[in-house]
Amino acid sequence: MGAVHLGGYSFGACVAFEMALQLQQAQRTVGHLVLLDGSPVEIGAIAGRYRGRARTYGVAHEVEFLSSAMCSFMMLFMTVDFIKVHRELLAADSQESRVAYATEVLLQTGLFHERSGLEEAAWSYYKKLVIADRYQVDEHYHGNITLIRTEYGHARSEGRGEDYGLHRVCDGVVTVHRIAGDHVTFMEGDRAVATASAILGHPAPTEAC
C-alpha cells in the first residue's frame, strides 16, 4: 500500500490530524498532511472559550455553548449584533428553540430557502465545536505538516504561535504558508491560486491580493 495524503480545512484540520495519528499507529505511511487554517490546538482553544462565558453569565455550560455557537454560525453569513442576539438566545426556553431562532433569522436573509437543511447545518456546526472542545491529542505526530494559515489568523491565535500550536503536538517539521485574507476569503479569487500553490508546493503563478 502506498502513502496516504491528507488535508483538512478548519474543523476538518482536527479530523485530518487524527486520521494521520491513527495511520501512524497502524504503521501506515502518511505522505502529505496539509492543514488549511486550522489545527487541533487552535480549533480546541476557540471552542474552549465558551466554557468561561458560561460561568460569566451564570447559565449551564450547554446553554452558553449553543448560544455562542449559534451566534458564530449566523456570523458566517450576515452581520450580527452579538450581544443582543446572544442575550436573546440565552433567554430561549430550550436548545431546540435556540437553533430554531438562528435558522429563522438566517432564512430572512434570503440566502437560504430550505428550513430543515439549514437547521441541520446549524446543529452540525454546534456538534463540531463540541467535538473540538473535547478532543485531546494523546500522542505526537512524527511526520511533517504543511499549515496554510490566513493573514488575519494571528489575532485569534495569540499565544499559540505562528504554527497554531502545532509544535506542541508534532515532532516533525511544520511548514507555514501565510495567505492573504481571512478564514473564508483565502480560498477565493487570486488568493485561492496562492492557496493551491502552497498545497502543491510551488510558487503561485499570480500574486495573491
Side-chain angles (χ1 to χ4, degrees), residues 4-180:
V4 178
H5 305 292
L6 299 168
Y9 163 58
S10 193
F11 171 77
C14 298
V15 177
F17 186 87
E18 176 60 24
M19 291 174 68
L21 285 181
Q22 293 192 26
L23 287 166
Q24 178 177 275
Q25 292 169 355
Q27 298 185 335
R28 290 287 304 279
T29 300
V30 177
H32 300 291
L33 175 56
V34 181
L35 306 183
L36 297 165
D37 209 39
S39 81
V41 177
E42 178 73 4
I43 303 302
I46 293 171
R49 294 173 187 167
Y50 301 146
R51 282 195 298 270
R53 290 178 183 167
R55 292 189 293 270
T56 299
Y57 293 110
V59 297
H61 170 63
E62 294 78 9
V63 170
E64 161 53 27
F65 208 127
L66 183 63
S67 297
S68 289
M70 289 302 96
C71 284
S72 297
F73 182 67
M74 294 162 67
M75 289 168 66
L76 294 175
F77 309 102
M78 59 182 292
T79 301
V80 171
D81 182 337
F82 187 94
I83 294 176
K84 176 178 180 293
V85 172
H86 184 258
R87 186 184 301 118
E88 293 176 354
L89 286 165
L90 287 177
D93 58 8
S94 69
Q95 296 289 69
E96 290 73 19
S97 60
R98 292 180 179 94
V99 173
Y101 173 97
T103 301
E104 183 59 36
V105 172
L106 285 171
L107 284 171
Q108 292 175 12
T109 66
L111 296 173
F112 307 93
H113 305 287
E114 204 274 312
R115 178 182 299 274
S116 62
L118 181 57
E119 195 165 87
E120 183 177 344
W123 277 115
S124 176
Y125 184 85
Y126 163 66
K127 291 174 182 177
K128 286 190 292 186
L129 287 174
V130 171
I131 292 170
D133 183 46
R134 296 177 181 176
Y135 177 59
Q136 298 292 326
V137 179
D138 296 324
E139 65 174 288
H140 279 210
Y141 177 61
H142 304 310
N144 301 329
I145 299 176
T146 296
L147 170 66
I148 300 172
R149 56 160 294 168
T150 63
E151 179 183 13
Y152 300 113
H154 65 279
R156 65 189 175 95
S157 187
E158 185 176 354
R160 290 180 288 281
E162 176 75 8
D163 68 350
Y164 285 171
L166 285 170
H167 61 277
R168 304 179 191 176
V169 295
C170 175
D171 294 331
V173 176
V174 178
T175 302
V176 180
H177 297 272
R178 186 184 285 267
I179 304 296

